[in-house]
Amino acid sequence: MKLYVVRHGQTIFNQLNKVQGWADTPLTKKGEKDGKMAGQRLKNVKFNAAYSSDTSRAIHTAEFVLAENNNPTPQLKFMPEWREYFFGSFEGGSNDIMWGAVADAFDVSEKTPDAIAESIHDMTAIMNKIHEVDPQHIGETAADFWQRMSGALDHLKAKHQPNDNILIVTHGQLIGNLAQHYAHLNDAQRPRNGAVAVFDLDDSGLRVTHFNDLETNFI
């Protein structure tokens, strides 16, 4: 089956450079436009099912995407399995503080998530390091996250047909993790707000055909 995976539109925390995993803030005006523009690029794709995480930013982005579609659209289903990675006690704080702590722990000079991912090439290690440097150690471990993701993918394979087109509106870290861990796109970075990734999912695994795409009009 083909998964059209969209990162939610810009939120207030995105605009303020704050950590946002399970924390949730509303879409900005730009974020609403991100959803509408993604919907325009996907308007000719007939979706057999539509999912989002259970955060408001993903739900509202999905609603904007589906509103632009030229075909009869399925009912949107909300699944907590498609939530962003949980960043623990860093939630709501500065991204610079969290990623700075992670970079220092890995001895990476540039303190950004993309630089860390490019240097380490191991999302399991990065998630475990976030958990380790979290002062309260309440965030997700990599094992917790991968178990959640495997369950979400197994659910799709059990519920849908091999030729189905599935819309999923979810989160940046999660999409990057999927591309790196399951589809072996080692240079995958966090996609931009409203960007589309397309994955082929079957019993042999997950493959990427588009990633961080803000240009393609899909058919």
Side-chain angles (χ1 to χ4, degrees):
M1 72 191 69
K2 198 169 290 291
L3 311 182
Y4 294 83
V5 184
V6 180
R7 186 185 176 195
H8 63 79
Q10 185 196 63
T11 67
I12 291 173
F13 269 13
N14 292 153
Q15 189 174 32
L16 297 176
N17 191 33
K18 291 184 177 293
V19 179
Q20 185 175 229
W22 288 10
D24 198 19
T25 60
L27 297 177
T28 62
K29 290 298 183 184
K30 178 187 179 300
E32 295 177 359
K33 184 178 179 181
D34 291 336
K36 292 173 184 176
M37 294 301 293
Q40 279 290 312
R41 298 193 302 278
L42 291 166
K43 67 182 180 181
N44 293 318
V45 178
K46 181 174 174 54
F47 293 114
N48 303 98
Y51 295 93
S52 76
S53 88
D54 59 352
T55 62
S56 68
R57 62 193 188 271
I59 292 169
H60 292 150
T61 301
E63 290 171 343
F64 283 121
V65 171
L66 291 171
E68 299 292 329
N69 202 270
N70 288 333
N71 302 284
T73 56
Q75 182 177 358
L76 179 64
K77 297 179 181 178
F78 320 142
M79 290 183 62
E81 289 85 349
W82 290 105
R83 281 185 196 171
E84 180 62 288
Y85 171 78
F86 178 44
F87 294 98
S89 65
F90 290 115
E91 296 270 346
S94 167
N95 269 306
D96 293 340
I97 291 174
M98 181 183 73
W99 291 112
V102 174
D104 289 344
F106 279 126
D107 197 25
V108 174
S109 58
E110 188 177 345
K111 302 179 189 301
T112 67
D114 287 347
I116 294 165
E118 186 174 345
S119 177
I120 303 303
H121 289 299
D122 185 344
M123 294 313 303
T124 293
I126 291 170
M127 285 187 285
N128 282 334
K129 191 63 70 176
I130 294 170
H131 182 271
E132 178 185 320
V133 301
D134 172 6
Q136 296 189 41
H137 308 295
I138 60 173
E140 280 186 287
T141 64
D144 292 336
F145 181 83
W146 295 133
Q147 182 178 20
R148 179 157 65 89
M149 285 296 91
S150 293
L153 294 172
D154 288 344
H155 173 270
L156 295 178
K157 288 189 284 187
K159 294 289 185 181
H160 300 291
Q161 299 302 310
N163 293 327
D164 280 355
N165 294 323
I166 312 296
L167 173 68
I168 301 171
V169 180
T170 182
H171 304 272
Q173 182 80 34
L174 184 153
I175 298 169
N177 287 359
L178 279 182
Q180 284 198 24
H181 186 77
Y182 291 99
H184 310 295
L185 186 66
N186 291 330
D187 60 349
Q189 297 180 340
R190 182 178 305 208
R192 295 170 64 184
N193 294 111
V196 178
V198 183
F199 297 90
D200 288 324
L201 174 66
D202 58 29
D203 289 336
S204 67
L206 199 66
R207 293 172 301 283
V208 184
T209 61
H210 294 77
F211 191 78
N212 197 20
D213 192 318
L214 290 166
E215 302 295 334
T216 301
N217 291 313
F218 296 92
I219 299 174

